mmCIF file of all heavy atoms in Angstrom:
data_model
loop_
_atom_site.group_PDB
_atom_site.id
_atom_site.type_symbol
_atom_site.label_atom_id
_atom_site.label_comp_id
_atom_site.label_asym_id
_atom_site.label_seq_id
_atom_site.Cartn_x
_atom_site.Cartn_y
_atom_site.Cartn_z
ATOM 1 N N PRO A 306 -152.339 124.779 59.530
ATOM 2 C CA PRO A 306 -153.013 124.350 58.324
ATOM 3 C C PRO A 306 -152.080 124.102 57.169
ATOM 4 O O PRO A 306 -151.200 124.991 56.849
ATOM 5 C CB PRO A 306 -153.984 125.393 57.945
ATOM 6 C CG PRO A 306 -154.215 126.225 59.157
ATOM 7 C CD PRO A 306 -152.991 126.113 59.920
ATOM 8 N N ALA A 313 -157.222 116.756 54.533
ATOM 9 C CA ALA A 313 -157.365 117.398 55.706
ATOM 10 C C ALA A 313 -158.078 118.693 55.642
ATOM 11 O O ALA A 313 -157.953 119.397 54.577
ATOM 12 C CB ALA A 313 -156.044 117.565 56.411
ATOM 13 N N PRO A 314 -158.937 119.136 56.621
ATOM 14 C CA PRO A 314 -159.467 120.418 56.526
ATOM 15 C C PRO A 314 -158.432 121.496 56.511
ATOM 16 O O PRO A 314 -157.375 121.418 57.061
ATOM 17 C CB PRO A 314 -160.189 120.532 57.977
ATOM 18 C CG PRO A 314 -160.382 119.189 58.375
ATOM 19 C CD PRO A 314 -159.187 118.311 57.824
ATOM 20 N N SER A 315 -158.686 122.538 55.571
ATOM 21 C CA SER A 315 -157.722 123.577 55.408
ATOM 22 C C SER A 315 -158.386 124.852 55.642
ATOM 23 O O SER A 315 -159.624 124.870 55.829
ATOM 24 C CB SER A 315 -157.034 123.394 54.057
ATOM 25 O OG SER A 315 -156.045 124.458 53.931
ATOM 26 N N VAL A 316 -157.632 126.036 55.563
ATOM 27 C CA VAL A 316 -158.116 127.250 55.711
ATOM 28 C C VAL A 316 -157.228 128.253 55.091
ATOM 29 O O VAL A 316 -156.004 127.935 54.866
ATOM 30 C CB VAL A 316 -158.208 127.614 57.282
ATOM 31 C CG1 VAL A 316 -156.830 127.695 57.875
ATOM 32 C CG2 VAL A 316 -158.960 128.900 57.417
ATOM 33 N N ALA A 320 -156.628 133.773 56.946
ATOM 34 C CA ALA A 320 -157.770 133.562 57.967
ATOM 35 C C ALA A 320 -157.303 132.858 59.101
ATOM 36 O O ALA A 320 -157.927 132.804 60.174
ATOM 37 C CB ALA A 320 -158.967 132.931 57.319
ATOM 38 N N PHE A 321 -156.285 132.046 59.093
ATOM 39 C CA PHE A 321 -155.880 131.143 60.033
ATOM 40 C C PHE A 321 -155.605 131.899 61.450
ATOM 41 O O PHE A 321 -156.007 131.327 62.485
ATOM 42 C CB PHE A 321 -154.604 130.432 59.707
ATOM 43 C CG PHE A 321 -154.141 129.434 60.750
ATOM 44 C CD1 PHE A 321 -154.876 128.416 61.239
ATOM 45 C CD2 PHE A 321 -152.802 129.637 61.354
ATOM 46 C CE1 PHE A 321 -154.316 127.526 62.150
ATOM 47 C CE2 PHE A 321 -152.365 128.847 62.330
ATOM 48 C CZ PHE A 321 -153.198 127.686 62.653
ATOM 49 N N PRO A 322 -154.945 133.043 61.449
ATOM 50 C CA PRO A 322 -154.777 133.766 62.802
ATOM 51 C C PRO A 322 -156.115 134.003 63.498
ATOM 52 O O PRO A 322 -156.130 133.994 64.733
ATOM 53 C CB PRO A 322 -153.963 134.942 62.485
ATOM 54 C CG PRO A 322 -153.296 134.720 61.122
ATOM 55 C CD PRO A 322 -154.205 133.869 60.338
ATOM 56 N N ARG A 323 -157.196 134.152 62.739
ATOM 57 C CA ARG A 323 -158.433 134.557 63.446
ATOM 58 C C ARG A 323 -159.060 133.319 63.969
ATOM 59 O O ARG A 323 -159.888 133.410 64.998
ATOM 60 C CB ARG A 323 -159.416 135.212 62.439
ATOM 61 C CG ARG A 323 -158.863 136.550 61.993
ATOM 62 C CD ARG A 323 -159.972 137.332 61.197
ATOM 63 N NE ARG A 323 -160.347 136.641 59.937
ATOM 64 C CZ ARG A 323 -159.733 136.705 58.720
ATOM 65 N NH1 ARG A 323 -158.692 137.523 58.640
ATOM 66 N NH2 ARG A 323 -160.270 136.089 57.669
ATOM 67 N N ILE A 324 -158.898 132.086 63.363
ATOM 68 C CA ILE A 324 -159.501 130.937 64.000
ATOM 69 C C ILE A 324 -158.690 130.055 64.779
ATOM 70 O O ILE A 324 -159.102 129.286 65.539
ATOM 71 C CB ILE A 324 -160.091 130.049 62.846
ATOM 72 C CG1 ILE A 324 -158.955 129.363 62.035
ATOM 73 C CG2 ILE A 324 -160.991 130.799 61.876
ATOM 74 C CD1 ILE A 324 -159.276 128.184 61.254
ATOM 75 N N GLU A 325 -157.294 130.295 64.691
ATOM 76 C CA GLU A 325 -156.453 129.445 65.508
ATOM 77 C C GLU A 325 -156.695 129.297 66.866
ATOM 78 O O GLU A 325 -156.735 128.160 67.442
ATOM 79 C CB GLU A 325 -154.919 129.937 65.282
ATOM 80 C CG GLU A 325 -153.836 129.011 66.015
ATOM 81 C CD GLU A 325 -152.512 129.643 65.784
ATOM 82 O OE1 GLU A 325 -152.328 130.843 65.407
ATOM 83 O OE2 GLU A 325 -151.518 128.958 66.034
ATOM 84 N N PRO A 326 -157.037 130.408 67.638
ATOM 85 C CA PRO A 326 -157.236 130.177 69.072
ATOM 86 C C PRO A 326 -158.462 129.301 69.420
ATOM 87 O O PRO A 326 -158.517 128.756 70.547
ATOM 88 C CB PRO A 326 -157.507 131.576 69.610
ATOM 89 C CG PRO A 326 -156.940 132.468 68.544
ATOM 90 C CD PRO A 326 -157.010 131.846 67.256
ATOM 91 N N TYR A 327 -159.441 129.258 68.426
ATOM 92 C CA TYR A 327 -160.629 128.438 68.736
ATOM 93 C C TYR A 327 -160.508 126.946 68.379
ATOM 94 O O TYR A 327 -161.323 126.155 68.715
ATOM 95 C CB TYR A 327 -161.764 129.094 67.843
ATOM 96 C CG TYR A 327 -162.183 130.519 68.303
ATOM 97 C CD1 TYR A 327 -161.588 131.550 67.726
ATOM 98 C CD2 TYR A 327 -162.994 130.618 69.421
ATOM 99 C CE1 TYR A 327 -161.918 132.844 68.062
ATOM 100 C CE2 TYR A 327 -163.454 131.861 69.888
ATOM 101 C CZ TYR A 327 -162.898 132.932 69.165
ATOM 102 O OH TYR A 327 -163.223 134.294 69.587
ATOM 103 N N ILE A 328 -159.338 126.555 67.824
ATOM 104 C CA ILE A 328 -159.056 125.144 67.532
ATOM 105 C C ILE A 328 -158.919 124.439 68.867
ATOM 106 O O ILE A 328 -159.690 123.361 69.064
ATOM 107 C CB ILE A 328 -157.838 124.977 66.627
ATOM 108 C CG1 ILE A 328 -158.087 125.621 65.310
ATOM 109 C CG2 ILE A 328 -157.422 123.471 66.585
ATOM 110 C CD1 ILE A 328 -156.803 125.580 64.385
ATOM 111 N N ASP A 329 -158.258 124.990 69.695
ATOM 112 C CA ASP A 329 -158.009 124.163 71.025
ATOM 113 C C ASP A 329 -159.258 124.344 71.858
ATOM 114 O O ASP A 329 -159.609 123.461 72.571
ATOM 115 C CB ASP A 329 -156.925 124.820 71.780
ATOM 116 C CG ASP A 329 -155.494 124.391 71.282
ATOM 117 O OD1 ASP A 329 -155.402 123.455 70.520
ATOM 118 O OD2 ASP A 329 -154.473 125.057 71.447
ATOM 119 N N VAL A 330 -159.969 125.559 71.836
ATOM 120 C CA VAL A 330 -161.257 125.641 72.588
ATOM 121 C C VAL A 330 -162.232 124.578 72.087
ATOM 122 O O VAL A 330 -162.882 123.907 72.907
ATOM 123 C CB VAL A 330 -161.823 127.044 72.285
ATOM 124 C CG1 VAL A 330 -163.320 127.180 72.792
ATOM 125 C CG2 VAL A 330 -161.018 128.115 72.901
ATOM 126 N N ALA A 331 -162.358 124.423 70.745
ATOM 127 C CA ALA A 331 -163.273 123.431 70.298
ATOM 128 C C ALA A 331 -162.911 121.988 70.539
ATOM 129 O O ALA A 331 -163.764 121.082 71.015
ATOM 130 C CB ALA A 331 -163.459 123.543 68.738
ATOM 131 N N GLU A 332 -161.609 121.688 70.593
ATOM 132 C CA GLU A 332 -161.130 120.322 70.956
ATOM 133 C C GLU A 332 -161.444 120.058 72.355
ATOM 134 O O GLU A 332 -161.883 118.925 72.738
ATOM 135 C CB GLU A 332 -159.706 120.349 70.656
ATOM 136 C CG GLU A 332 -159.223 118.861 70.910
ATOM 137 C CD GLU A 332 -157.610 118.709 70.595
ATOM 138 O OE1 GLU A 332 -157.118 119.408 69.677
ATOM 139 O OE2 GLU A 332 -156.963 117.875 71.183
ATOM 140 N N THR A 333 -161.143 121.066 73.194
ATOM 141 C CA THR A 333 -161.429 120.819 74.675
ATOM 142 C C THR A 333 -162.837 120.621 74.927
ATOM 143 O O THR A 333 -163.394 119.802 75.679
ATOM 144 C CB THR A 333 -160.821 121.984 75.410
ATOM 145 O OG1 THR A 333 -159.431 122.066 75.255
ATOM 146 C CG2 THR A 333 -161.089 121.873 77.003
ATOM 147 N N ALA A 334 -163.684 121.541 74.238
ATOM 148 C CA ALA A 334 -165.133 121.391 74.551
ATOM 149 C C ALA A 334 -165.708 120.014 74.060
ATOM 150 O O ALA A 334 -166.490 119.370 74.770
ATOM 151 C CB ALA A 334 -165.884 122.522 73.767
ATOM 152 N N GLY A 335 -165.146 119.562 72.922
ATOM 153 C CA GLY A 335 -165.582 118.174 72.455
ATOM 154 C C GLY A 335 -165.113 117.095 73.515
ATOM 155 O O GLY A 335 -165.887 116.219 73.660
ATOM 156 N N VAL A 349 -173.038 114.719 66.759
ATOM 157 C CA VAL A 349 -172.181 115.792 67.342
ATOM 158 C C VAL A 349 -172.616 117.069 66.476
ATOM 159 O O VAL A 349 -172.636 116.997 65.243
ATOM 160 C CB VAL A 349 -170.775 115.544 67.147
ATOM 161 C CG1 VAL A 349 -169.867 116.704 67.616
ATOM 162 C CG2 VAL A 349 -170.338 114.248 67.857
ATOM 163 N N GLU A 350 -172.880 118.124 67.197
ATOM 164 C CA GLU A 350 -173.160 119.451 66.591
ATOM 165 C C GLU A 350 -172.275 120.498 67.037
ATOM 166 O O GLU A 350 -171.978 120.632 68.233
ATOM 167 C CB GLU A 350 -174.537 119.894 66.859
ATOM 168 C CG GLU A 350 -175.037 121.180 66.316
ATOM 169 C CD GLU A 350 -176.378 121.685 66.578
ATOM 170 O OE1 GLU A 350 -177.009 120.852 67.406
ATOM 171 O OE2 GLU A 350 -176.862 122.661 66.046
ATOM 172 N N ALA A 351 -171.579 121.169 66.025
ATOM 173 C CA ALA A 351 -170.657 122.292 66.295
ATOM 174 C C ALA A 351 -171.421 123.571 65.968
ATOM 175 O O ALA A 351 -171.886 123.806 64.786
ATOM 176 C CB ALA A 351 -169.417 122.253 65.581
ATOM 177 N N THR A 352 -171.615 124.459 66.891
ATOM 178 C CA THR A 352 -172.306 125.698 66.750
ATOM 179 C C THR A 352 -171.311 126.863 66.926
ATOM 180 O O THR A 352 -170.605 126.886 67.831
ATOM 181 C CB THR A 352 -173.466 125.915 67.604
ATOM 182 O OG1 THR A 352 -174.332 124.667 67.524
ATOM 183 C CG2 THR A 352 -174.278 127.060 67.339
ATOM 184 N N TYR A 353 -171.423 127.837 66.076
ATOM 185 C CA TYR A 353 -170.455 128.969 66.104
ATOM 186 C C TYR A 353 -171.381 130.298 66.228
ATOM 187 O O TYR A 353 -172.200 130.466 65.314
ATOM 188 C CB TYR A 353 -169.514 129.025 64.927
ATOM 189 C CG TYR A 353 -168.659 127.861 64.833
ATOM 190 C CD1 TYR A 353 -169.184 126.665 63.989
ATOM 191 C CD2 TYR A 353 -167.551 127.703 65.497
ATOM 192 C CE1 TYR A 353 -168.447 125.639 63.934
ATOM 193 C CE2 TYR A 353 -166.768 126.583 65.387
ATOM 194 C CZ TYR A 353 -167.190 125.527 64.634
ATOM 195 O OH TYR A 353 -166.491 124.384 64.522
ATOM 196 N N GLU A 354 -171.150 131.062 67.146
ATOM 197 C CA GLU A 354 -171.951 132.309 67.308
ATOM 198 C C GLU A 354 -170.985 133.556 67.381
ATOM 199 O O GLU A 354 -169.869 133.442 67.866
ATOM 200 C CB GLU A 354 -172.674 132.222 68.647
ATOM 201 C CG GLU A 354 -173.768 131.204 68.672
ATOM 202 C CD GLU A 354 -174.472 131.238 70.038
ATOM 203 O OE1 GLU A 354 -174.233 132.039 70.928
ATOM 204 O OE2 GLU A 354 -175.388 130.205 70.156
ATOM 205 N N ILE A 357 -166.837 134.613 65.061
ATOM 206 C CA ILE A 357 -166.318 133.346 64.489
ATOM 207 C C ILE A 357 -167.254 132.841 63.489
ATOM 208 O O ILE A 357 -166.798 132.056 62.603
ATOM 209 C CB ILE A 357 -166.019 132.320 65.718
ATOM 210 C CG1 ILE A 357 -165.327 131.042 65.201
ATOM 211 C CG2 ILE A 357 -167.303 131.961 66.303
ATOM 212 C CD1 ILE A 357 -163.938 131.226 64.829
ATOM 213 N N ALA A 358 -168.476 133.097 63.495
ATOM 214 C CA ALA A 358 -169.429 132.531 62.482
ATOM 215 C C ALA A 358 -169.168 133.050 61.160
ATOM 216 O O ALA A 358 -169.575 132.426 60.062
ATOM 217 C CB ALA A 358 -170.990 132.842 62.935
ATOM 218 N N GLU A 360 -166.152 133.062 59.782
ATOM 219 C CA GLU A 360 -165.079 132.340 59.259
ATOM 220 C C GLU A 360 -165.247 131.040 58.698
ATOM 221 O O GLU A 360 -166.340 130.415 58.916
ATOM 222 C CB GLU A 360 -163.994 132.314 60.442
ATOM 223 C CG GLU A 360 -163.630 133.570 61.144
ATOM 224 C CD GLU A 360 -162.924 134.600 60.132
ATOM 225 O OE1 GLU A 360 -162.387 134.132 59.219
ATOM 226 O OE2 GLU A 360 -162.875 135.789 60.503
ATOM 227 N N ASP A 361 -164.325 130.573 57.957
ATOM 228 C CA ASP A 361 -164.249 129.174 57.541
ATOM 229 C C ASP A 361 -163.841 128.305 58.677
ATOM 230 O O ASP A 361 -162.704 128.305 59.127
ATOM 231 C CB ASP A 361 -163.320 129.052 56.239
ATOM 232 C CG ASP A 361 -163.228 127.495 55.775
ATOM 233 O OD1 ASP A 361 -163.878 126.668 56.374
ATOM 234 O OD2 ASP A 361 -162.621 127.364 54.846
ATOM 235 N N VAL A 362 -164.735 127.472 59.227
ATOM 236 C CA VAL A 362 -164.482 126.801 60.574
ATOM 237 C C VAL A 362 -164.394 125.296 60.325
ATOM 238 O O VAL A 362 -164.491 124.515 61.323
ATOM 239 C CB VAL A 362 -165.608 127.127 61.476
ATOM 240 C CG1 VAL A 362 -165.516 128.569 61.946
ATOM 241 C CG2 VAL A 362 -166.974 126.763 61.004
ATOM 242 N N GLU A 363 -164.204 124.728 59.021
ATOM 243 C CA GLU A 363 -164.003 123.358 58.841
ATOM 244 C C GLU A 363 -162.972 122.810 59.784
ATOM 245 O O GLU A 363 -163.259 121.756 60.312
ATOM 246 C CB GLU A 363 -163.691 123.136 57.387
ATOM 247 C CG GLU A 363 -163.623 121.710 57.032
ATOM 248 C CD GLU A 363 -163.204 121.396 55.610
ATOM 249 O OE1 GLU A 363 -162.776 122.319 54.889
ATOM 250 O OE2 GLU A 363 -163.329 120.301 55.089
ATOM 251 N N LEU A 364 -161.745 123.414 59.956
ATOM 252 C CA LEU A 364 -160.687 122.921 60.550
ATOM 253 C C LEU A 364 -161.125 122.974 62.079
ATOM 254 O O LEU A 364 -160.818 122.034 62.955
ATOM 255 C CB LEU A 364 -159.453 123.750 60.461
ATOM 256 C CG LEU A 364 -158.234 123.372 61.212
ATOM 257 C CD1 LEU A 364 -157.830 121.933 60.925
ATOM 258 C CD2 LEU A 364 -157.002 124.287 60.978
ATOM 259 N N VAL A 365 -161.847 123.881 62.635
ATOM 260 C CA VAL A 365 -162.393 123.949 63.999
ATOM 261 C C VAL A 365 -163.291 122.856 64.269
ATOM 262 O O VAL A 365 -163.083 122.221 65.321
ATOM 263 C CB VAL A 365 -163.020 125.361 64.267
ATOM 264 C CG1 VAL A 365 -163.384 125.448 65.761
ATOM 265 C CG2 VAL A 365 -162.080 126.506 63.863
ATOM 266 N N THR A 366 -164.147 122.533 63.407
ATOM 267 C CA THR A 366 -165.098 121.409 63.556
ATOM 268 C C THR A 366 -164.387 120.178 63.664
ATOM 269 O O THR A 366 -164.695 119.294 64.437
ATOM 270 C CB THR A 366 -166.219 121.459 62.411
ATOM 271 O OG1 THR A 366 -166.954 122.649 62.548
ATOM 272 C CG2 THR A 366 -167.101 120.292 62.588
ATOM 273 N N ALA A 367 -163.423 119.935 62.745
ATOM 274 C CA ALA A 367 -162.601 118.782 62.843
ATOM 275 C C ALA A 367 -161.926 118.568 63.984
ATOM 276 O O ALA A 367 -161.868 117.431 64.586
ATOM 277 C CB ALA A 367 -161.664 118.671 61.603
ATOM 278 N N SER A 368 -161.395 119.628 64.640
ATOM 279 C CA SER A 368 -160.805 119.676 66.000
ATOM 280 C C SER A 368 -161.804 119.384 66.997
ATOM 281 O O SER A 368 -161.365 118.655 67.931
ATOM 282 C CB SER A 368 -160.176 120.909 66.236
ATOM 283 O OG SER A 368 -159.026 121.237 65.207
ATOM 284 N N ALA A 369 -162.979 119.774 66.961
ATOM 285 C CA ALA A 369 -163.981 119.402 67.991
ATOM 286 C C ALA A 369 -164.189 117.917 67.921
ATOM 287 O O ALA A 369 -164.385 117.272 68.880
ATOM 288 C CB ALA A 369 -165.291 120.227 67.651
ATOM 289 N N LEU A 370 -164.381 117.375 66.680
ATOM 290 C CA LEU A 370 -164.510 115.886 66.572
ATOM 291 C C LEU A 370 -163.306 115.103 67.109
ATOM 292 O O LEU A 370 -163.460 114.060 67.782
ATOM 293 C CB LEU A 370 -164.727 115.652 65.114
ATOM 294 C CG LEU A 370 -166.048 115.984 64.450
ATOM 295 C CD1 LEU A 370 -165.974 115.665 63.032
ATOM 296 C CD2 LEU A 370 -167.236 115.408 65.166
ATOM 297 N N LYS A 371 -162.157 115.681 66.946
ATOM 298 C CA LYS A 371 -160.893 115.166 67.530
ATOM 299 C C LYS A 371 -161.045 114.966 69.083
ATOM 300 O O LYS A 371 -160.739 113.983 69.651
ATOM 301 C CB LYS A 371 -159.653 115.826 67.150
ATOM 302 C CG LYS A 371 -158.384 115.400 67.814
ATOM 303 C CD LYS A 371 -157.244 116.275 67.229
ATOM 304 C CE LYS A 371 -155.906 115.853 67.837
ATOM 305 N NZ LYS A 371 -155.768 116.349 69.228
ATOM 306 N N GLY A 372 -161.601 116.091 69.647
ATOM 307 C CA GLY A 372 -161.794 116.125 71.070
ATOM 308 C C GLY A 372 -162.772 115.126 71.551
ATOM 309 O O GLY A 372 -162.702 114.360 72.561
ATOM 310 N N VAL A 373 -163.770 114.910 70.803
ATOM 311 C CA VAL A 373 -164.973 113.982 71.078
ATOM 312 C C VAL A 373 -164.275 112.575 71.089
ATOM 313 O O VAL A 373 -164.728 111.770 71.976
ATOM 314 C CB VAL A 373 -166.152 114.144 70.086
ATOM 315 C CG1 VAL A 373 -166.997 112.968 70.252
ATOM 316 C CG2 VAL A 373 -166.880 115.519 70.372
ATOM 317 N N ASN A 382 -157.051 112.370 64.760
ATOM 318 C CA ASN A 382 -156.587 113.684 64.743
ATOM 319 C C ASN A 382 -157.604 114.450 63.828
ATOM 320 O O ASN A 382 -158.562 113.826 63.344
ATOM 321 C CB ASN A 382 -155.093 113.835 64.269
ATOM 322 C CG ASN A 382 -154.888 113.113 62.957
ATOM 323 O OD1 ASN A 382 -155.859 113.013 62.126
ATOM 324 N ND2 ASN A 382 -153.578 112.840 62.682
ATOM 325 N N ALA A 383 -157.195 115.694 63.524
ATOM 326 C CA ALA A 383 -158.200 116.477 62.751
ATOM 327 C C ALA A 383 -158.218 115.931 61.241
ATOM 328 O O ALA A 383 -159.279 116.255 60.459
ATOM 329 C CB ALA A 383 -157.655 117.981 62.616
ATOM 330 N N ALA A 386 -160.634 112.526 61.901
ATOM 331 C CA ALA A 386 -161.875 112.517 62.636
ATOM 332 C C ALA A 386 -163.168 112.686 61.887
ATOM 333 O O ALA A 386 -164.126 111.916 62.248
ATOM 334 C CB ALA A 386 -161.794 113.771 63.600
ATOM 335 N N PRO A 387 -163.247 113.421 60.808
ATOM 336 C CA PRO A 387 -164.537 113.309 60.110
ATOM 337 C C PRO A 387 -164.783 111.971 59.481
ATOM 338 O O PRO A 387 -165.937 111.485 59.442
ATOM 339 C CB PRO A 387 -164.306 114.388 58.974
ATOM 340 C CG PRO A 387 -163.246 115.343 59.507
ATOM 341 C CD PRO A 387 -162.353 114.486 60.311
ATOM 342 N N VAL A 397 -172.766 114.434 61.943
ATOM 343 C CA VAL A 397 -172.039 115.717 62.268
ATOM 344 C C VAL A 397 -172.790 116.933 61.586
ATOM 345 O O VAL A 397 -172.946 116.866 60.362
ATOM 346 C CB VAL A 397 -170.528 115.647 61.842
ATOM 347 C CG1 VAL A 397 -169.875 116.931 62.295
ATOM 348 C CG2 VAL A 397 -169.939 114.406 62.486
ATOM 349 N N THR A 398 -173.148 117.895 62.431
ATOM 350 C CA THR A 398 -173.791 119.072 61.840
ATOM 351 C C THR A 398 -173.075 120.370 62.245
ATOM 352 O O THR A 398 -172.333 120.244 63.323
ATOM 353 C CB THR A 398 -175.287 119.153 62.261
ATOM 354 O OG1 THR A 398 -175.363 119.194 63.656
ATOM 355 C CG2 THR A 398 -176.065 117.966 61.550
ATOM 356 N N GLU A 399 -173.173 121.334 61.456
ATOM 357 C CA GLU A 399 -172.454 122.664 61.814
ATOM 358 C C GLU A 399 -173.474 123.727 61.582
ATOM 359 O O GLU A 399 -174.134 123.707 60.494
ATOM 360 C CB GLU A 399 -171.230 122.739 60.935
ATOM 361 C CG GLU A 399 -170.482 123.949 61.103
ATOM 362 C CD GLU A 399 -169.228 123.975 60.140
ATOM 363 O OE1 GLU A 399 -168.343 123.142 60.260
ATOM 364 O OE2 GLU A 399 -169.259 124.784 59.248
ATOM 365 N N SER A 400 -173.507 124.597 62.524
ATOM 366 C CA SER A 400 -174.400 125.793 62.373
ATOM 367 C C SER A 400 -173.748 127.049 62.797
ATOM 368 O O SER A 400 -172.877 127.084 63.583
ATOM 369 C CB SER A 400 -175.704 125.513 63.206
ATOM 370 O OG SER A 400 -175.414 125.379 64.621
ATOM 371 N N LYS A 401 -174.136 128.144 62.259
ATOM 372 C CA LYS A 401 -173.599 129.496 62.573
ATOM 373 C C LYS A 401 -174.589 130.389 62.671
ATOM 374 O O LYS A 401 -175.731 130.451 62.061
ATOM 375 C CB LYS A 401 -172.736 129.897 61.384
ATOM 376 C CG LYS A 401 -171.431 128.994 61.167
ATOM 377 C CD LYS A 401 -170.712 129.584 59.963
ATOM 378 C CE LYS A 401 -169.490 128.856 59.633
ATOM 379 N NZ LYS A 401 -168.697 129.475 58.483
ATOM 380 N N SER A 410 -167.409 136.027 70.569
ATOM 381 C CA SER A 410 -167.455 134.720 69.750
ATOM 382 C C SER A 410 -167.651 133.599 70.748
ATOM 383 O O SER A 410 -167.169 133.616 71.873
ATOM 384 C CB SER A 410 -166.209 134.461 69.015
ATOM 385 O OG SER A 410 -166.038 135.339 67.907
ATOM 386 N N LEU A 411 -168.381 132.523 70.293
ATOM 387 C CA LEU A 411 -168.694 131.393 71.246
ATOM 388 C C LEU A 411 -168.665 130.176 70.354
ATOM 389 O O LEU A 411 -169.161 130.098 69.134
ATOM 390 C CB LEU A 411 -170.107 131.525 71.757
ATOM 391 C CG LEU A 411 -170.383 130.451 72.785
ATOM 392 C CD1 LEU A 411 -169.653 130.581 74.066
ATOM 393 C CD2 LEU A 411 -171.850 130.444 73.166
ATOM 394 N N VAL A 412 -168.036 129.101 70.840
ATOM 395 C CA VAL A 412 -168.152 127.831 70.182
ATOM 396 C C VAL A 412 -168.786 126.827 71.096
ATOM 397 O O VAL A 412 -168.474 126.767 72.268
ATOM 398 C CB VAL A 412 -166.614 127.279 69.942
ATOM 399 C CG1 VAL A 412 -166.700 125.776 69.281
ATOM 400 C CG2 VAL A 412 -165.836 128.170 69.027
ATOM 401 N N ARG A 413 -169.757 126.069 70.526
ATOM 402 C CA ARG A 413 -170.537 125.228 71.323
ATOM 403 C C ARG A 413 -170.455 123.754 70.662
ATOM 404 O O ARG A 413 -170.710 123.651 69.541
ATOM 405 C CB ARG A 413 -172.064 125.616 71.450
ATOM 406 C CG ARG A 413 -172.881 124.555 72.341
ATOM 407 C CD ARG A 413 -174.429 124.926 72.289
ATOM 408 N NE ARG A 413 -174.602 126.312 72.702
ATOM 409 C CZ ARG A 413 -174.998 127.384 71.833
ATOM 410 N NH1 ARG A 413 -175.231 127.081 70.510
ATOM 411 N NH2 ARG A 413 -175.224 128.501 72.281
ATOM 412 N N VAL A 414 -170.106 122.757 71.456
ATOM 413 C CA VAL A 414 -170.039 121.423 71.004
ATOM 414 C C VAL A 414 -171.062 120.584 71.774
ATOM 415 O O VAL A 414 -171.052 120.461 72.927
ATOM 416 C CB VAL A 414 -168.669 120.804 71.135
ATOM 417 C CG1 VAL A 414 -168.615 119.384 70.675
ATOM 418 C CG2 VAL A 414 -167.683 121.607 70.365
ATOM 419 N N GLY A 427 -167.418 127.140 74.779
ATOM 420 C CA GLY A 427 -166.000 127.850 75.109
ATOM 421 C C GLY A 427 -165.871 129.103 74.369
ATOM 422 O O GLY A 427 -166.499 129.380 73.329
#
Side-chain angles (χ1 to χ4, degrees):
S315 189
V316 64
F321 180 62
R323 296 193 296 273
I324 69 163
E325 181 181 16
Y327 293 96
I328 292 174
D329 287 340
V330 170
E332 181 179 335
T333 300
V349 179
E350 180 180 3
T352 305
Y353 302 93
E354 298 181 359
I357 186 67
E360 304 293 343
D361 179 354
V362 292
E363 182 184 12
L364 179 59
V365 184
T366 298
S368 298
L370 292 176
K371 175 178 181 283
V373 169
N382 58 21
V397 179
T398 58
E399 184 181 288
S400 59
K401 295 180 177 182
S410 289
L411 185 75
V412 177
R413 179 186 307 111
V414 179

